[in-house]
Amino acid sequence: NAGVTQTPKFQVLKTGQSMTLQCAQDMNHNSMYWYRQDPGMGLRLIYYSASEGTTDKGEVPNGYNVSRLNKREFSLRLESAAPSQTSVYFCASSDTGTLYNEQFFGPGTRLTVL
Amino acid sequence: LAKTTQPISMDSYEGQEVNITCSHNNIATNDYITWYQQFPSQGPRFIIQGYKTKVTNEVASLFIPADRKSSTLSLPRVSLSDTAVYYCLVGDLINAGKSTFGDGTTLTVKP
């Protein structure tokens, strides 16, 4: 099992450009999450999806959109990138509702917006 | 949402036991307490989760008092490889998105 995979690993954008971060999990989890982590800080939840076909805003959703394409895949889109979106983006998944709601994280995407 | 408070940083030496305390005064009845570990340039990794009293696994113990307003992660005999950031989360198991990561505790283990 690959677990949670994210692409790309690194990306540099210019202000105003758009891009989509891809995330996939092979653990048959029902919940998926997108976080951002700024240098020296904790993770902040951008969006989450409790199940296929549903998405909800987290703590910092402005400037982002998401798509839960199917049970495996959850993408994050930046429509018009801004320097304030320079961060490391982590995708995670979990089997919500089981005894242990353990989140499994991907390796992250390091995004720089110039 | 239950807000958590942890020390910003802690230092220890190899072989010592480390206890990291998290305060969560407004924890709800359905909330569980979960701890994650994060190494530089990696995503967080689950360590342990509990609801009340004491939980132990192969890497750590979690102590939760009766009022559940705080919890303590205990790492026995730490090594240099335990240097990492440790996060305490509080949230229920059903509704995704109700758990939030704070800024964590940076543990530095010295030789």
Side-chain angles (χ1 to χ4, degrees), chain A residues 22-46:
Chain A
Q22 306 288 354
C23 174
Q25 52 93 8
D26 62 1
M27 295 173 282
N28 201 37
H29 287 165
N30 47 3
S31 296
M32 297 186 74
Y33 314 78
W34 276 107
Y35 293 89
R36 62 175 287 175
Q37 185 172 35
D38 298 334
M41 302 190 63
L43 283 77
R44 292 184 291 171
L45 184 66
I46 305 172

Tab-separated table of all heavy atoms in Angstrom, chain A residues 22-46:
chain	number	residue	atom	x	y	z
A	22	GLN	N	-2.899	17.452	-6.179
A	22	GLN	CA	-3.588	16.174	-6.223
A	22	GLN	C	-3.258	15.341	-4.993
A	22	GLN	O	-2.142	15.386	-4.467
A	22	GLN	CB	-3.170	15.398	-7.475
A	22	GLN	CG	-3.340	16.138	-8.781
A	22	GLN	CD	-4.803	16.279	-9.197
A	22	GLN	OE1	-5.702	15.722	-8.571
A	22	GLN	NE2	-5.035	17.056	-10.248
A	23	CYS	N	-4.246	14.603	-4.533
A	23	CYS	CA	-4.069	13.715	-3.382
A	23	CYS	C	-4.857	12.441	-3.637
A	23	CYS	O	-6.009	12.502	-4.094
A	23	CYS	CB	-4.547	14.379	-2.106
A	23	CYS	SG	-4.523	13.294	-0.653
A	24	ALA	N	-4.256	11.302	-3.320
A	24	ALA	CA	-4.952	10.028	-3.450
A	24	ALA	C	-4.564	9.115	-2.295
A	24	ALA	O	-3.436	9.173	-1.807
A	24	ALA	CB	-4.600	9.364	-4.781
A	25	GLN	N	-5.529	8.304	-1.862
A	25	GLN	CA	-5.258	7.328	-0.795
A	25	GLN	C	-5.799	5.962	-1.225
A	25	GLN	O	-6.830	5.874	-1.893
A	25	GLN	CB	-5.865	7.785	0.540
A	25	GLN	CG	-7.336	8.154	0.503
A	25	GLN	CD	-8.292	7.037	0.840
A	25	GLN	OE1	-7.885	5.948	1.256
A	25	GLN	NE2	-9.588	7.300	0.671
A	26	ASP	N	-5.072	4.922	-0.797
A	26	ASP	CA	-5.462	3.565	-1.186
A	26	ASP	C	-5.880	2.730	0.015
A	26	ASP	O	-5.776	1.506	-0.001
A	26	ASP	CB	-4.327	2.894	-1.959
A	26	ASP	CG	-3.053	2.744	-1.140
A	26	ASP	OD1	-3.047	3.144	0.048
A	26	ASP	OD2	-2.055	2.238	-1.691
A	27	MET	N	-6.333	3.383	1.074
A	27	MET	CA	-6.706	2.689	2.305
A	27	MET	C	-8.218	2.577	2.472
A	27	MET	O	-8.694	2.177	3.543
A	27	MET	CB	-6.092	3.428	3.493
A	27	MET	CG	-4.570	3.391	3.487
A	27	MET	SD	-3.813	4.420	4.749
A	27	MET	CE	-3.994	6.042	3.989
A	28	ASN	N	-8.965	2.963	1.457
A	28	ASN	CA	-10.427	2.895	1.473
A	28	ASN	C	-11.030	3.755	2.598
A	28	ASN	O	-12.086	3.423	3.153
A	28	ASN	CB	-10.915	1.448	1.606
A	28	ASN	CG	-12.344	1.292	1.119
A	28	ASN	OD1	-12.767	1.923	0.148
A	28	ASN	ND2	-13.107	0.440	1.790
A	29	HIS	N	-10.347	4.852	2.920
A	29	HIS	CA	-10.848	5.736	3.966
A	29	HIS	C	-11.991	6.598	3.447
A	29	HIS	O	-12.012	6.990	2.285
A	29	HIS	CB	-9.722	6.635	4.480
A	29	HIS	CG	-8.736	5.921	5.320
A	29	HIS	ND1	-7.500	6.454	5.626
A	29	HIS	CD2	-8.794	4.714	5.943
A	29	HIS	CE1	-6.845	5.601	6.409
A	29	HIS	NE2	-7.615	4.545	6.605
A	30	ASN	N	-12.926	6.921	4.337
A	30	ASN	CA	-14.040	7.747	3.902
A	30	ASN	C	-13.761	9.243	4.045
A	30	ASN	O	-14.341	10.045	3.314
A	30	ASN	CB	-15.329	7.377	4.647
A	30	ASN	CG	-15.113	7.250	6.147
A	30	ASN	OD1	-14.036	7.489	6.660
A	30	ASN	ND2	-16.151	6.869	6.856
A	31	SER	N	-12.888	9.641	4.951
A	31	SER	CA	-12.629	11.066	5.157
A	31	SER	C	-11.271	11.467	4.615
A	31	SER	O	-10.295	10.729	4.732
A	31	SER	CB	-12.689	11.408	6.648
A	31	SER	OG	-13.980	11.198	7.157
A	32	MET	N	-11.235	12.669	4.044
A	32	MET	CA	-9.966	13.216	3.550
A	32	MET	C	-9.880	14.687	3.905
A	32	MET	O	-10.903	15.356	4.081
A	32	MET	CB	-9.847	13.002	2.034
A	32	MET	CG	-9.807	11.532	1.651
A	32	MET	SD	-9.495	11.243	-0.101
A	32	MET	CE	-7.729	11.631	-0.210
A	33	TYR	N	-8.646	15.191	4.011
A	33	TYR	CA	-8.406	16.531	4.541
A	33	TYR	C	-7.297	17.228	3.756
A	33	TYR	O	-6.374	16.579	3.276
A	33	TYR	CB	-7.942	16.462	6.011
A	33	TYR	CG	-8.726	15.530	6.909
A	33	TYR	CD1	-8.520	14.158	6.865
A	33	TYR	CD2	-9.654	16.035	7.818
A	33	TYR	CE1	-9.226	13.305	7.700
A	33	TYR	CE2	-10.352	15.189	8.660
A	33	TYR	CZ	-10.135	13.825	8.596
A	33	TYR	OH	-10.839	12.992	9.423
A	34	TRP	N	-7.372	18.542	3.712
A	34	TRP	CA	-6.269	19.367	3.230
A	34	TRP	C	-5.887	20.356	4.323
A	34	TRP	O	-6.743	21.071	4.859
A	34	TRP	CB	-6.648	20.144	1.968
A	34	TRP	CG	-6.485	19.368	0.718
A	34	TRP	CD1	-7.453	18.836	-0.072
A	34	TRP	CD2	-5.241	19.057	0.077
A	34	TRP	NE1	-6.906	18.195	-1.147
A	34	TRP	CE2	-5.543	18.323	-1.089
A	34	TRP	CE3	-3.900	19.324	0.365
A	34	TRP	CZ2	-4.559	17.844	-1.959
A	34	TRP	CZ3	-2.929	18.853	-0.495
A	34	TRP	CH2	-3.266	18.124	-1.641
A	35	TYR	N	-4.570	20.370	4.629
A	35	TYR	CA	-4.022	21.298	5.607
A	35	TYR	C	-2.941	22.145	4.940
A	35	TYR	O	-2.308	21.724	3.973
A	35	TYR	CB	-3.353	20.549	6.764
A	35	TYR	CG	-4.267	19.757	7.656
A	35	TYR	CD1	-4.572	18.426	7.369
A	35	TYR	CD2	-4.796	20.318	8.808
A	35	TYR	CE1	-5.390	17.681	8.214
A	35	TYR	CE2	-5.614	19.583	9.665
A	35	TYR	CZ	-5.901	18.269	9.354
A	35	TYR	OH	-6.707	17.536	10.194
A	36	ARG	N	-2.677	23.288	5.536
A	36	ARG	CA	-1.491	24.046	5.187
A	36	ARG	C	-0.666	24.277	6.454
A	36	ARG	O	-1.207	24.379	7.560
A	36	ARG	CB	-1.833	25.383	4.535
A	36	ARG	CG	-2.615	26.357	5.374
A	36	ARG	CD	-2.786	27.698	4.653
A	36	ARG	NE	-1.535	28.463	4.615
A	36	ARG	CZ	-1.398	29.603	3.964
A	36	ARG	NH1	-2.401	30.114	3.262
A	36	ARG	NH2	-0.248	30.249	3.980
A	37	GLN	N	0.653	24.306	6.266
A	37	GLN	CA	1.542	24.530	7.395
A	37	GLN	C	2.562	25.595	7.009
A	37	GLN	O	3.404	25.369	6.140
A	37	GLN	CB	2.264	23.247	7.819
A	37	GLN	CG	3.110	23.422	9.063
A	37	GLN	CD	3.661	22.123	9.588
A	37	GLN	OE1	3.990	21.214	8.834
A	37	GLN	NE2	3.759	22.006	10.912
A	38	ASP	N	2.472	26.736	7.652
A	38	ASP	CA	3.414	27.817	7.439
A	38	ASP	C	4.637	27.587	8.313
A	38	ASP	O	4.562	26.896	9.340
A	38	ASP	CB	2.761	29.152	7.757
A	38	ASP	CG	1.564	29.428	6.848
A	38	ASP	OD1	1.542	28.888	5.724
A	38	ASP	OD2	0.650	30.152	7.267
A	39	PRO	N	5.773	28.149	7.946
A	39	PRO	CA	7.019	27.884	8.688
A	39	PRO	C	6.896	28.135	10.184
A	39	PRO	O	6.422	29.190	10.617
A	39	PRO	CB	8.004	28.869	8.045
A	39	PRO	CG	7.492	29.061	6.663
A	39	PRO	CD	5.996	29.015	6.779
A	40	GLY	N	7.300	27.137	10.976
A	40	GLY	CA	7.310	27.266	12.423
A	40	GLY	C	5.956	27.220	13.080
A	40	GLY	O	5.830	27.501	14.281
A	41	MET	N	4.933	26.869	12.313
A	41	MET	CA	3.591	26.863	12.865
A	41	MET	C	2.940	25.497	12.723
A	41	MET	O	3.468	24.614	12.048
A	41	MET	CB	2.747	27.930	12.169
A	41	MET	CG	3.331	29.331	12.305
A	41	MET	SD	2.255	30.617	11.754
A	41	MET	CE	0.896	30.478	12.871
A	42	GLY	N	1.809	25.345	13.368
A	42	GLY	CA	1.073	24.102	13.278
A	42	GLY	C	0.266	24.017	11.997
A	42	GLY	O	0.276	24.921	11.166
A	43	LEU	N	-0.433	22.905	11.843
A	43	LEU	CA	-1.251	22.704	10.658
A	43	LEU	C	-2.604	23.386	10.831
A	43	LEU	O	-3.197	23.346	11.905
A	43	LEU	CB	-1.484	21.215	10.426
A	43	LEU	CG	-0.329	20.432	9.831
A	43	LEU	CD1	0.727	20.145	10.871
A	43	LEU	CD2	-0.832	19.132	9.216
A	44	ARG	N	-3.081	23.976	9.758
A	44	ARG	CA	-4.410	24.585	9.751
A	44	ARG	C	-5.244	23.913	8.668
A	44	ARG	O	-4.813	23.771	7.534
A	44	ARG	CB	-4.320	26.097	9.526
A	44	ARG	CG	-3.692	26.848	10.693
A	44	ARG	CD	-3.711	28.341	10.465
A	44	ARG	NE	-2.817	28.745	9.403
A	44	ARG	CZ	-2.774	29.962	8.893
A	44	ARG	NH1	-3.606	30.908	9.334
A	44	ARG	NH2	-1.915	30.254	7.930
A	45	LEU	N	-6.462	23.549	9.041
A	45	LEU	CA	-7.345	22.821	8.148
A	45	LEU	C	-7.951	23.767	7.117
A	45	LEU	O	-8.543	24.787	7.467
A	45	LEU	CB	-8.446	22.134	8.954
A	45	LEU	CG	-9.415	21.258	8.188
A	45	LEU	CD1	-8.697	20.041	7.614
A	45	LEU	CD2	-10.559	20.817	9.091
A	46	ILE	N	-7.823	23.411	5.838
A	46	ILE	CA	-8.373	24.226	4.768
A	46	ILE	C	-9.775	23.738	4.409
A	46	ILE	O	-10.749	24.487	4.456
A	46	ILE	CB	-7.469	24.165	3.518
A	46	ILE	CG1	-6.038	24.564	3.854
A	46	ILE	CG2	-8.020	25.081	2.425
A	46	ILE	CD1	-5.053	24.337	2.718
